[in-house]
Amino acid sequence: MRIYKKTLREEAGIEEIFCNCCGKKIEKDKYGYFPDHFHADKTWGYNSSMDGRRQSFDLCHECYESMLENFKIPAE
């Protein structure tokens, strides 16, 4: 026999996203989802001047394309 206890569970969800480059708000679509955008999350490792430091950022589609245009070697 199983006896269940009701519990309340608090979940964190993304409410808003802003492009770190231009500051534009990335709006949710009509279904409540964020459109495709670029998200980076990096924890720097050994032999780095930023050892142990964590950085994350989001870019809208336009800023991502602009970043790619500045590459000396094109992205694949």
Side-chain angles (χ1 to χ4, degrees), residues 3-60:
I3 300 172
Y4 293 92
K5 175 181 158 185
K6 287 186 179 180
T7 60
L8 294 176
R9 200 168 92 184
E10 193 172 311
E11 292 183 21
I14 301 170
E15 186 64 30
E16 294 180 315
I17 299 176
F18 292 88
C19 176
N20 286 81
C21 186
C22 70
K24 181 178 81 174
K25 183 176 179 179
I26 299 171
E27 300 286 348
K28 291 181 181 180
D29 64 15
K30 65 181 179 180
Y31 303 106
Y33 296 103
F34 290 101
D36 203 14
H37 64 284
F38 182 78
H39 175 75
D41 192 348
K42 170 69 175 162
T43 301
W44 294 93
Y46 297 113
N47 298 321
S48 165
S49 61
M50 295 189 283
D51 186 12
R53 187 172 169 187
R54 180 177 173 262
Q55 296 176 315
S56 67
F57 62 90
D58 295 283
L59 295 177
C60 67

Side-chain angles (χ1 to χ4, degrees), residues 64-75:
Y64 178 76
E65 285 186 344
S66 178
M67 178 185 69
L68 290 180
E69 289 174 3
N70 291 315
F71 283 5
K72 300 282 187 215
I73 302 171

